[in-house]
Every structure is written in structure tokens, then in C-alpha cells.
Amino acid sequence: MEALIDDLEHTTIYYRPRNDSEESDGEGGLGNLNRLIVRPPGHSGKAKRGHLCFDAAFECGNLGRADHITELEYDLFIRPDTCRPRSRFWFNFTVENVKQDQRVIFNIVNLGKEYTLFNENMTPIVRSSSRPKWQRLPRRLLFYHRSLVHRGRKILSLAFGFDKDEDIYQFAAAAPYSYSRLQKHLTMWEKRAQTFATRESIAQTTQKRRIDLITIGDLAPKEESKGEIITKGKFNETKKRVVLVLARVHGGEQPASFICQGFLDYIVGSSEKAIALRNGIVIQVVPMLNPDGVFLGNHRSDLIGSDLNRCWNRATSYAHPALIAVNDLIKKIAAEKTMQLDFIIDIHADVSHEGVFVRGNSYDDVYRFERHAVLPKFLGMRVEAWKPELCLYNADSLAAGSARRTLSVGSVDAYTLLASMGGRRLTPMGPYIHYTEDAYLKIGRSLVKALCDYYRHIGVIAPREGVSVQKKESRRRRRRRKRTINERERSPSSSPEKRVLVARVLSPPLPLASPPALRALPLRTAKNATLRGRPRTVHVGEGTLPIITGKYQTEIEHRSEFSSQSNSYRYYV
């Protein structure tokens, strides 16, 4: 896992040639800040400690502008997507040349949407070169408000205190998942799955990055018997079921890659469900459909400004080679008489809702619609924090060019699986729990289990050996029934011959006068003194994530300091 952590050394000004400029419009930056030192007015020459150096000219980076407002405050502008100026949400940048115990406020002033999860409980993440693990900023240091100074638009303000002057700090809207990280993971994954899976490149993007296709399982059909031809001239063999999984159509939806990685890691494992699924059906995965947008740090578009999830119905070989390759793959499966494409699952992330949910299609035929809603039912039983109230099945014209609307031809069921970029609540009034990388990987594993449950339900995959097909009774019901049988065996009236009906007993009449006063309870003496000193049990709420905490001083100062023994951040307000 250490090899997958992005190294921050390439962002520092001390490891680069001196003749490099502070701003870059080349291919590496495409408008992102490249080691820009923001100096206060009236300062020139060599940068001093405390003159912050912003950099986003690296893979998945996004920051277009930084303005010095006061000694403590900076206005930051997200770089819009390439050739698509209205898409502005994803940000990922580094800050260096900081001063010990320097306090700052970063105002992100040009978010593309006003209503996002920042309105609720979502917070950005931070890490540094000495502490590479991502950590959430505390909610008390985040302010999402409408600013009159910025013409009434809503801005996101972050309060932060730097505790190590030699560290390089990185801020992001969510945990980044780069194209390079995917290639490293697929190289290691391919070695583990070389006996039953293949990896190939089906297309190249505009910037010559490969579009990988992973095929898990054998595409050869299962033969029922040697006599393949029946009297009508059709093949008497079982069609091989195929499931197509797409991910990362939008570059700024990082959770989609984590879910896809969890899907691939679980299905290559040795669990019973993974083995049954890869032996029973064929799964084809395209883990990253928009590598150019991911590399450039765009939120939705690719290099030429196209939203690929709105171009499936008008894709061209020059502008959308990845979509053309997937369309050709689907046509090839449909042309084969020995294969049947059942599902197309397009994995996305959502910036406005919590939990996990799907978007499907609506059909006039009731039976067709009921069959379309079966797989989401199995997903709801497996995925944590499933939101059935957010699942929509419609024919919205705004999503006419999406994958679920265009690729659902014939009997193919196409869905859009969405996971929140922020977090979830396990109960409607429960605590807010942020999603982590492990939580997204768990969603991918749940997707494998849901597919296995579905194909076992329809009989494509054999049921698990040693498990009864009948519905299991709850543990409480089994105990209750067992206890009743034992009591009947011990009772002398359990046999029909000795069974006697109990006579009905009437309740006694009410007393005419009130009963005498009860005696007062005895005082606690030394005999029951232990009851008085018994400690009370305090129940701590479960399910809450620990936040970055520290050793607080007085409540008047309202600040937390960094301890040399711990390895965490200290924030100041």
C-alpha cells in the first residue's frame, strides 16, 4: 500500500530547476498553479517563511488562482474543467513554505453548485509529507456561507494552522485516485488473476492513455450435452451470462475508482461467493473511462470539454474513442448467440446526497419494470446505508445521453450506482459518518455479493453447499420453539389423554375500603451499602468516527496544540 501513496516531493520548489517559472500553461498544468508564491503587497525578491507557495501542476491537481487578502486570509479559485467553464467542484492542491504555528483561512470562492454536501456535514481532507494518511478537517473549522464581499455567492472557508514548517500540506475535496495509481494496481492485480482473467487495451484517449478492459471468467458457453443441435436447428446450450461494469466516467468522482477497486479485489479472492460468481458468469470491467479528465483534474469533462455521460447517443471515434470501444463491445456480445448481456452498472459519485442509491429506467410494461427493480433490491440488502428513497426510475430527457438510458437496449438492465462523496447515516437521526477509502472498498465487495445473490436466486449459480434453500428462521424464533417443545415433553398433560382444560378463574372483587397504608421502605444500612456505592453504567454511542483531537488548554483560548508524542494535526480558530 505504501507504493500507492502519491509522493509529494515533486511539488516542492527546492527539488526543481531554478529557471522554471512560477506559473504554467503547458501540458503539465493546463491552467493550474505551478509553484506560485503569494507575497503580501509591497514585498518582492526572495520569498520568506510564511509566504505560502501554492502548487496544483501535478496529476489530479486543480487550483487556478490564489489571491492574498490579508495576512491570514487567501481567496482560492478552482480551475474550471477544460473547455467547460461551469464545472467547478473538485480541488486538489499543495501548500508549502509555511511558518511554524501559522494560521490561515482559505476561501474557495467559485464553486459551481451552491447546494452541496458542504451544506451538511461533509468536510475536505488534508495530509502532509510526514503524515501521508488522509484526515478530515473538523466541522467546527469549516464555514459554508454566503459572502457579501464576493457578490453574494456562497463560499467555502477553511481555517487551518500549520504545525511543521518543513512539511508540504495537501488539501483535497476527497481522496484522489489517479490514473497512475490505477495502472500500478492493475499490474499487481493481473498477476493474481492470470489464471481466470485477462487484461487488454480496447482504445486510446486523445492524449494516448489506454482504456483497460478486464474480463473475468470464460467466454466459452457451457454445453449441456454433446448433442448441440435440436430439431429446429437451434443450439441446445446454456447462454453465458455477462455483466458489464463501468467506472470513472467523470474525473472528479474519485469514490467510483475505490468502489471498482474493491469490486476487483474481492472477486479475485478466495471467498465462496467470489469463486461461484466468476465460475458461473462473465464479468467485464472498464475501470477508467476518462483517463484524460482524471489526469488533468477535471470534475466532469475530458480533454476536449465533453461530458462523456451525456455523449453515449452521439459518440464519434475521434472525440469519444472510449465510448465507441464500449459500444462495439456491447454489439459484439449481442451478436453472439452463446452470450447474454444482463446488466450494465455505471459507477458514479454524488456531491448532493448521502449514502448509496441507484438510478434506473422506467418501462410501460409492468413485468419489465418489476424485473428491472430486482437487482437494486439485492443491493439494498448488502450495501450499508442504502437509501431507497433516493432511488429513481425515470425517463428524464436531461439524462438522454447517459449510459443507463442509451445502453439499455432489449432485455439489458442498465443502472447508475451512486455513492456519496461525503458520508452516510446508519439511521435517520444517527450520527454522520464520513466515508473512507475502506468504506468505498466495502461497497465494491457488496456489489459482488449482490450479483451472486441475484444469480443464485434465478438459478444460474448453484446454491451454496450445506445451506438449505428454505428461508432461515430467526434465532429468537428457533429458541422459542425449542423451549416450548421441551416444556411439553416435561408436562404430564402433554399427551391428548391427560390434557385437561383449566377452569376459568374470575378476578376477585374490589375492596370496599382503601387498603391500609404501606410501611415505609427501610433505610439503607451497612447491610445494603453496596447498593449505594454501585457504579453507574455509562453507555457510549457507537458508530461515530473519531475526529482529529488533541490536548486542549483552556476553553477561553479555543485552540488545540500539537504534541510531539502524537502523529496528528492541530487546528486553530
Side-chain angles (χ1 to χ4, degrees):
M1 294 300 295
E2 294 181 0
L4 299 180
I5 299 176
D6 299 331
D7 192 3
L8 295 179
E9 289 186 356
H10 67 283
T11 65
T12 179
I13 61 176
Y14 307 110
Y15 297 126
R16 293 193 178 186
R18 295 182 179 179
N19 54 1
D20 286 356
S21 62
E22 295 182 355
E23 296 182 356
S24 174
D25 291 328
E27 181 182 355
L30 281 180
N32 285 330
L33 294 183
N34 186 1
R35 301 177 290 106
L36 175 66
I37 300 177
V38 180
R39 299 177 177 87
H43 287 263
S44 61
K46 186 178 180 181
K48 300 179 181 179
R49 279 290 176 184
H51 296 173
L52 301 185
C53 178
F54 293 89
D55 188 13
F58 52 88
E59 190 172 0
C60 295
N62 188 307
L63 186 65
R65 177 180 162 189
D67 293 344
H68 181 276
I69 305 301
T70 64
E71 185 180 354
L72 301 176
E73 192 171 2
Y74 296 82
D75 280 357
L76 307 182
F77 294 81
I78 299 174
R79 176 188 57 80
D81 287 4
T82 310
C83 304
R84 196 178 184 87
R86 301 184 66 178
S87 295
R88 301 182 306 273
F89 181 82
W90 169 253
F91 58 88
N92 181 18
F93 59 92
T94 62
V95 180
E96 57 182 318
N97 196 33
V98 302
K99 188 169 56 176
Q100 183 76 24
D101 297 334
Q102 183 178 0
R103 306 178 186 183
V104 294
I105 296 177
F106 293 146
N107 299 321
I108 301 177
V109 301
N110 65 334
L111 289 171
K113 296 179 64 176
E114 285 196 353
Y115 181 79
T116 62
L117 288 172
F118 291 128
N119 276 326
E120 306 298 332
N121 292 284
M122 177 180 170
T123 60
I125 57 178
V126 62
R127 69 176 181 178
S128 66
S129 53
S130 63
R131 291 156 292 186
K133 185 177 180 180
W134 289 106
Q135 300 185 37
R136 290 279 179 180
L137 288 169
R139 180 63 190 176
R140 61 186 178 85
L141 304 182
L142 182 74
F143 308 94
Y144 192 59
H145 58 99
R146 193 174 301 277
S147 174
L148 298 179
V149 180
H150 301 89
R151 298 181 180 180
R153 67 165 62 102
K154 298 193 74 172
I155 67 173
L156 178 66
S157 298
L158 312 175
F160 193 79
F162 300 106
D163 54 357
K164 290 185 178 181
D165 53 1
E166 70 275 5
D167 271 12
I168 306 171
Y169 296 83
Q170 184 175 6
F171 299 85
Y177 196 103
S178 62
Y179 172 76
S180 302
R181 175 171 178 172
L182 174 67
Q183 295 302 315
K184 293 178 183 178
H185 177 262
L186 292 182
T187 302
M188 296 185 297
W189 186 91
E190 189 178 6
K191 296 178 182 179
R192 298 174 54 194
Q194 58 185 354
T195 57
F196 54 84
T198 59
R199 175 190 175 194
E200 58 180 324
S201 177
I202 57 175
Q204 281 189 340
T205 63
T206 306
Q207 291 185 326
K208 304 303 179 183
R209 295 184 178 89
R210 54 181 289 159
I211 306 294
D212 289 293
L213 172 65
I214 298 173
T215 303
I216 304 169
D218 188 10
L219 289 175
K222 293 182 179 179
E223 296 185 1
E224 295 285 342
S225 60
K226 294 183 179 180
E228 297 180 353
I229 302 178
I230 59 177
T231 55
K232 292 184 179 181
K234 296 182 180 180
F235 291 97
N236 186 22
E237 56 187 29
T238 304
K239 288 187 176 182
K240 199 73 174 181
R241 303 299 185 97
V242 182
V243 175
L244 179 61
V245 178
L246 309 175
R248 208 63 183 279
V249 180
H250 295 147
E253 298 177 353
Q254 319 290 332
S257 291
F258 288 106
I259 296 174
C260 187
Q261 178 178 328
F263 183 90
L264 293 175
D265 289 343
Y266 186 78
I267 206 169
V268 79
S270 58
S271 64
E272 186 271 336
K273 290 184 179 294
I275 296 174
L277 190 64
R278 67 178 182 242
N279 292 337
I281 67 172
V282 176
I283 300 176
Q284 293 189 314
V285 183
V286 183
M288 189 171 286
L289 270 169
N290 187 9
D292 289 349
V294 172
F295 182 87
L296 298 174
N298 291 343
H299 180 58
R300 292 184 66 91
S301 67
D302 59 355
L303 178 65
I304 63 176
S306 298
D307 185 354
L308 297 184
N309 203 36
R310 295 296 183 268
C311 300
W312 286 96
N313 54 351
R314 52 185 178 86
T316 60
S317 58
Y318 173 75
H320 318 99
L323 306 189
I324 294 296
V326 174
N327 278 320
D328 293 342
L329 178 65
I330 295 174
K331 293 178 182 179
K332 180 180 178 181
I333 296 175
E336 293 288 340
K337 296 181 179 180
T338 58
M339 290 188 292
Q340 176 181 339
L341 181 60
D342 288 340
F343 301 114
I344 298 176
I345 303 174
D346 190 13
I347 305 176
H348 286 259
D350 191 86
V351 299
S352 303
H353 300 91
E354 301 175 0
V356 185
F357 51 96
V358 298
R359 298 290 164 86
N361 301 314
S362 61
Y363 299 93
D364 296 333
D365 188 2
V366 177
Y367 300 102
R368 178 71 178 90
F369 176 75
E370 289 180 351
R371 184 170 66 86
H372 183 67
V374 172
L375 182 60
K377 294 292 184 181
F378 285 100
L379 276 171
M381 292 185 292
R382 288 290 184 180
V383 177
E384 183 188 60
W386 180 260
K387 299 292 183 181
E389 65 274 9
L390 297 180
C391 298
L392 298 179
Y393 304 90
N394 55 23
D396 190 1
S397 59
L398 297 177
S402 61
R404 69 174 174 91
R405 293 288 307 280
T406 306
L407 303 181
S408 58
V409 180
S411 61
V412 180
D413 290 322
Y415 307 92
T416 300
L417 177 64
L418 297 105
S420 174
M421 289 188 68
R424 75 281 193 197
R425 286 183 172 89
L426 302 182
T427 58
M429 300 301 294
Y432 188 85
I433 306 174
H434 277 102
Y435 275 119
T436 59
E437 296 182 12
D438 294 336
Y440 289 125
L441 298 177
K442 185 179 179 181
I443 296 175
R445 296 192 293 266
S446 301
L447 179 58
V448 178
K449 297 176 184 178
L451 288 172
C452 184
D453 294 341
Y454 172 83
Y455 282 108
R456 275 180 172 164
H457 177 73
I458 64 176
V460 174
I461 299 177
R464 185 176 180 180
E465 297 180 1
V467 179
S468 176
V469 183
Q470 298 179 357
K471 186 177 180 180
K472 298 181 180 180
E473 295 180 347
S474 64
R475 183 179 300 177
R476 183 182 302 175
R477 186 176 178 182
R478 290 199 305 267
R479 289 179 177 177
R480 184 182 304 170
R481 188 179 66 177
K482 186 176 181 179
R483 184 168 56 251
T484 306
I485 293 175
N486 293 339
E487 291 176 357
R488 288 182 58 183
E489 289 177 355
R490 292 193 303 267
S491 175
S493 61
S494 59
S495 60
E497 294 82 4
K498 298 182 180 180
R499 190 171 298 161
V500 180
L501 293 176
V502 181
R504 185 178 179 183
V505 179
L506 297 177
S507 60
L510 296 175
L512 299 177
S514 59
L518 297 177
R519 285 194 316 172
L521 294 177
L523 296 175
R524 290 187 177 181
T525 59
K527 184 178 179 180
N528 54 4
T530 56
L531 299 176
R532 183 168 28 186
R534 182 179 300 172
R536 297 179 59 187
T537 303
V538 180
H539 298 279
V540 181
E542 298 180 356
T544 58
L545 285 179
I547 63 174
I548 305 172
T549 59
K551 181 180 179 182
Y552 289 92
Q553 293 183 350
T554 61
E555 296 182 357
I556 301 177
E557 293 180 350
H558 287 281
R559 76 173 192 175
S560 53
E561 298 182 349
F562 181 77
S563 177
S564 58
Q565 290 81 9
S566 62
N567 192 24
S568 59
Y569 297 95
R570 299 299 176 199
Y571 305 97
Y572 300 89
V573 290

